[in-house]
Amino acid sequence: MENTLGLDFWDFPRDMMVSPEMMDQVVGQLETSNIEYSVWIENVQDKIDNVFDMPRSDVAGFDYYVYHTYEEIMVWIDDVVATYPTLASSFSLGKSYEGRDLKALKIGYNDGKEKRAVWFNGCIHAREWVSPATVMWMTNALLSNYTEEADPKVTMLMQFYDFYILPMMNPDGYVHSWTTDRLWRKTRSHHEGDSCIGTDGNRNFPYQWGGEGSSGVSCSSTYRGPSPLSEVEVSSVVEFIRAQSAVQQFDLYIDYHSYGQLMLSPWGYTEDCVEAGDYGLMDGHMKVHTDAIASVYGLQYEYGPGSIVLYIVSGGSRDWAYGEQGIRNAYTIELRDDGTYGFELPESEIYPTVTENYEGLKAGLEYLSQDPTPADTLCK
């Protein structure tokens, strides 16, 4: 139905958005196929209209509890570097398809000693606004907790790790989701022979590209592109991590998404398990990470291999980070919520989302920094 009816799957193959004009046809196909269904959100536009539910502050400084435009996020990066010049620096991975800067941050305390590395990014999918909000809040928390509050756990992490942070991986799509189509997902590229604009960046990585869980139809929301790395946004990230991995060990890679409240490990492209020792390390880390998330508000994120917990994805970021780069802890984290709001998570939900995930990040990294001995655990 995705390809023949042009439906927008929010959580393939389970949640899909259907226009009033298409409702009878979709319901008919579901009933003909004996597929049970229910209406989850009656009026998506109503959710869109109520996303901005927090008052705008008159107090000077960056408001972390409202959604921000691409331009505001770029200014924020510059302000972070100006505020913490000894701990933070910015760099560009290149330009997007439409020429926007792919600006990233490196944060950490530099005493000249060899350090390990952490990568996390937000907004590979344009409509998932809470992902860059989460990445920015956690970045600020690491910096402010190191300097002003002297949190001993953060002090250790900032001295042990270099953090490479890309808040906005898909700036063109993100801008389009603000100006034109709130529910836009893909990049804004156009390739010769394609009928439609945009590629799903999380199907474009050069590992097991082109398989199940991705589409070869350009109008599909999961279109994988004409070739791996066809998207400059993806190739820029891949080139940076390949180069940096040659000189620095990456302990953690997290690609932040919404929604679902999940922590997903490899594999995505197959339901086969990764090696038992590697999955033992992932399993131990995910338990620590998700238990720390739950310690804040009691919300337990489900965790495990993405192909089993959620669905099969080929050409995805975490499979590439683990399968090609050998980053043994490579994850997709699906942030709040459970689908009540879906991509239209109101601003009032930013605070609980970011605070619980910050505790997860800290606890998980503390665990990895101790070089735990993994059990020979098979995925379930």
Side-chain angles (χ1 to χ4, degrees), residues 199-269:
T199 291
D200 182 347
N202 202 36
R203 306 294 190 278
N204 193 239
F205 281 78
Y207 189 84
Q208 297 295 329
W209 177 87
E212 185 179 352
S214 68
S215 175
V217 178
S218 65
C219 297
S220 167
S221 61
T222 58
Y223 176 49
R224 57 183 172 252
S227 61
L229 300 179
S230 63
E231 305 313 289
V232 65
E233 298 85 357
V234 176
S235 65
S236 297
V237 169
V238 165
E239 288 169 9
F240 171 77
I241 294 180
R242 280 175 174 169
Q244 198 61 33
S245 292
V247 297
Q248 197 169 23
Q249 175 183 319
F250 278 78
D251 273 6
L252 182 65
Y253 175 106
I254 301 180
D255 182 8
Y256 282 99
H257 289 246
S258 71
Y259 56 95
Q261 299 159 182
L262 306 168
M263 187 171 188
L264 307 174
S265 65
W267 295 116
Y269 80 95

Side-chain angles (χ1 to χ4, degrees), residues 3-24:
N3 293 335
T4 58
L5 300 181
L7 299 180
D8 182 7
F9 277 86
W10 287 16
D11 185 10
F12 188 87
R14 299 179 295 188
D15 300 349
M16 59 184 175
M17 185 173 65
V18 182
S19 67
E21 296 79 15
M22 296 295 296
M23 183 64 74
D24 289 344

